[in-house]
Amino acid sequence: MSEQPTPLPDDFRTWLAERGQDAYALVWVTEGSEPAGFESTEAPRVGESGIARAGADLTRIALQDVTHGRAETLRRWLQLDDGVRHLAILTTESGVLREHTPGELAAELMHDPASDEARLTEQLASWFYRRNAEAQQGLGLGWIAAAAAWTCRMRALASYPPPSVLTPSLERAGELDEPTADLVVSTGLRIVDLLDRLERVYRTRTELIEDWHAVEPLAADVPALAPMADWLLDQIALRDAPAQQLRAVLEPDLTDYLRDRRADGALLRAAPVPDAPRAAHLAQARETVRAYTAAAHSGRESEARQLLDAFPIPTRDLSTSGPAAAWRENSATAAAAVEDLAAQRAATGAEDSTVADPELLHAATSYLAAREGQLHLMHDALGRLAFPAPVPRDLPEALAPVAAAQTQRRVIEAFGTLERAAEALNGQINYQLQQPVPARRRATAGAESDLLNRALGALEQTRAAGVPFDEEDIRARLHEAMARSTAPATASPAAATGHDEAHAQALATGPASSGVDR
């Protein structure tokens, strides 16, 4: 069996199914953010990576081992788990992936008369001891991290380590005493209570904030809890109007990807993959919104205010500008973005709306208003690039370059920088070229790509027209100026005296002269 991760087969599901009915894949799952999951109401299942969910990005996994049978799989997982990276256990049935927790396998083995219970208990105790010994905090805090790791991974077997596991672990560490055992048990019970609360359907913002304060310090030492901490921050942000306005400004337009994701599965053999540039922009937006939310609800109001001030909320335009209208008329994605926004607004304001929480409703309304303004900025900027307006006939010649500069200003206002705008356009172009093209986009993909390339070409010309920043030239000119200022005077004493006399006369006549004349 390989001790190093190997490349993932092209068709992983089929490949794993061919290994046999009792085949399990141990895969390392890197951190990732699913672009369509910001508003997901389903809490992450603690102890799972979520990589087996529909639409998950399988490029985030690296194959470590393929094992056969529950006993061998659990033994290898207990050996390989390092407490930092997420090692997922996957099986496939009828082409559908399923993720298992090690606690599920342990529980099944404990109830299997053919399994060696003593050997299994020893393996669990060894793993639990390592989770304490390798914890960064050390001393008693290491047992808290180990207890949290047990509850997250082994909850299907037991909420906290049973005596048959806990006692030998404490003995090996030389800490077999009642206070340490009580610490482990109480930590496990506290996390179980937290997880039970998180499974409730309706949560107020106050409850979400309390739970986040409980999870956040543990997530630093138990990576399995990190997705839960992020999910809690997202849920808090969804009920915070300023957070949603900040999100509306920073999120890129992913209308094409989101519509493809919602399309009938029969149209696509595989889930669409977001392009790298816009996915990176989305990840940056989420991290910024989470940073604001954490600061706003941790007593760091000044930090939260700085983030809001750094990204002003665009005003909602009451009318559509000419460039924005031209872009929406020619871009199917832009028109779809406006339609989706109107549909969200109608659904939010409907009498039978499922948004019953007043805070959630207010935040959703704030997001839609800010997003409408942001979409107008983006569409106006792209329209100016793709469909530049001719210089007005009666415009003074001196104002012609001023009018031309407005395009660059609007692009920066919409995207932040010209470079970021180019990244967004390149990402959308690359996404349009992905194969296979969904049936609903086949008629428009070519025209959309041409339009995006047209805007990108104009943007590149705009960037090239700017004066480049030449650091060496500025440094040379600075040295030259400093050399002149320190050079010895060459004027004669007589000339200096004449200058002093003229200067004295100018001062004497000062009150009778204006400042401009002087």
Side-chain angles (χ1 to χ4, degrees):
M1 290 178 290
S2 173
E3 292 296 329
Q4 297 295 329
T6 58
L8 196 67
D10 293 335
D11 191 348
F12 176 69
R13 296 177 178 87
T14 303
W15 179 86
L16 181 58
E18 293 172 351
R19 306 279 80 77
Q21 292 183 350
D22 64 342
Y24 292 80
L26 297 176
V27 300
W28 298 105
V29 182
T30 60
E31 294 183 3
S33 180
E34 298 299 333
F38 190 96
E39 294 182 320
S40 175
T41 57
E42 182 182 0
R45 292 184 286 271
V46 174
E48 296 184 17
S49 66
I51 198 63
R53 292 186 179 184
D57 181 9
L58 295 184
T59 61
R60 293 168 47 204
I61 69 179
L63 179 64
Q64 172 66 46
D65 266 341
V66 173
T67 57
H68 292 80
R70 293 189 297 265
E72 179 190 359
T73 303
L74 180 60
R75 178 183 64 81
R76 287 292 290 156
W77 188 93
L78 293 171
Q79 289 177 345
L80 294 168
D81 176 55
D82 59 11
V84 178
R85 297 174 295 170
H86 197 114
L87 182 61
I89 305 172
L90 301 179
T91 60
T92 184
E93 181 178 354
S94 302
V96 178
L97 284 180
R98 181 188 171 194
E99 183 172 2
H100 307 262
T101 66
E104 292 177 20
L105 303 185
E108 293 171 355
L109 289 171
M110 283 293 187
H111 292 88
D112 186 357
S115 67
D116 188 343
E117 184 176 343
R119 182 181 180 185
L120 175 58
T121 301
E122 179 189 2
Q123 293 172 351
L124 292 172
S126 176
W127 172 80
F128 185 68
Y129 165 76
R130 283 203 343 265
R131 292 285 65 78
N132 165 68
E134 296 174 3
Q136 296 181 355
Q137 308 94 326
L139 300 178
L141 296 179
W143 288 115
I144 294 178
W150 174 281
T151 304
C152 293
R153 300 293 199 180
M154 302 293 176
R155 187 185 179 194
L157 173 63
S159 299
Y160 54 86
S164 59
V165 172
L166 181 57
T167 300
S169 300
L170 295 178
E171 286 179 344
R172 184 179 300 186
E175 300 181 57
L176 183 56
D177 53 65
E178 187 173 349
T180 305
D182 290 343
L183 175 66
V184 171
V185 173
S186 62
T187 300
L189 292 175
R190 180 160 57 94
I191 296 178
V192 167
D193 178 63
L194 173 64
L195 297 181
D196 289 341
R197 294 202 311 272
L198 293 175
E199 292 176 355
R200 297 207 305 262
V201 176
Y202 176 75
R203 314 291 310 290
T204 65
R205 184 169 66 157
T206 301
E207 292 173 327
L208 291 167
I209 294 172
E210 291 175 354
D211 291 340
W212 176 73
H213 281 296
V215 171
E216 193 269 339
L218 291 172
D221 304 306
V222 186
L225 285 174
M228 181 63 69
D230 289 341
W231 179 83
L232 286 168
L233 279 178
D234 290 345
Q235 295 302 306
I236 296 168
L238 286 172
R239 292 156 176 80
D240 188 298
Q244 288 305 294
Q245 292 174 326
L246 182 62
R247 172 195 165 200
V249 174
L250 294 176
E251 275 189 345
D253 186 5
L254 292 171
T255 302
D256 47 3
Y257 167 78
L258 295 176
R259 283 207 162 191
D260 288 347
R261 191 182 177 95
R262 293 195 300 264
D264 186 356
L267 299 177
L268 297 172
R269 293 177 58 88
V273 179
D275 53 274
R278 291 188 298 169
H281 291 177
L282 181 62
Q284 294 164 5
R286 285 184 177 158
E287 289 303 316
T288 304
V289 172
R290 286 169 181 166
Y292 161 79
T293 307
H297 299 286
S298 299
R300 294 179 279 124
E301 290 81 4
S302 60
E303 295 180 24
R305 173 48 56 185
Q306 288 173 358
L307 285 171
L308 294 180
D309 292 342
F311 302 97
I313 308 304
T315 57
R316 178 183 174 187
D317 290 273
L318 299 179
S319 60
T320 304
S321 66
W327 182 260
R328 292 171 184 176
E329 182 179 349
N330 290 272
S331 169
T333 300
V338 176
E339 293 174 3
D340 288 355
L341 193 67
Q344 293 179 52
R345 187 184 298 278
T348 302
E351 294 182 0
D352 58 346
S353 173
T354 57
V355 184
D357 188 336
E359 289 183 326
L360 192 60
L361 179 60
H362 174 58
T365 304
S366 300
Y367 167 80
L368 293 173
R371 190 61 179 171
E372 182 177 356
Q374 183 64 19
L375 278 181
H376 182 85
L377 286 179
M378 290 191 288
H379 295 168
D380 179 83
L382 294 174
R384 291 173 185 271
L385 289 172
F387 308 102
V391 178
R393 184 182 60 183
D394 297 328
L395 186 70
E397 183 177 353
L399 289 180
V402 177
Q406 296 308 302
T407 296
Q408 180 172 330
R409 182 182 70 84
R410 294 294 282 182
V411 172
I412 293 175
E413 187 178 5
F415 293 92
T417 64
L418 299 180
E419 291 74 16
R420 194 174 178 87
E423 291 172 356
L425 284 171
N426 274 312
Q428 195 169 352
I429 292 170
N430 292 335
Y431 182 82
Q432 292 289 324
L433 298 177
Q434 282 186 14
Q435 298 295 329
V437 178
R440 67 173 193 82
R441 272 202 298 111
R442 288 172 189 164
T444 61
E448 188 82 10
S449 298
D450 292 342
L451 182 63
L452 291 168
N453 277 298
R454 180 177 177 179
L456 180 61
L459 177 61
E460 294 297 341
Q461 292 180 359
T462 300
R463 295 171 64 187
V467 179
F469 178 80
D470 191 338
E471 184 178 352
E472 293 300 326
D473 179 64
I474 293 176
R475 183 180 291 110
R477 294 171 62 184
L478 177 61
H479 289 167
E480 181 183 354
M482 294 180 66
R484 286 199 304 267
S485 64
T486 57
T490 58
S492 64
T497 303
H499 176 274
D500 293 342
E501 292 176 353
H503 181 60
Q505 293 177 1
L507 292 177
T509 59
S513 305
S514 68
V516 175
D517 293 337
R518 289 201 301 272

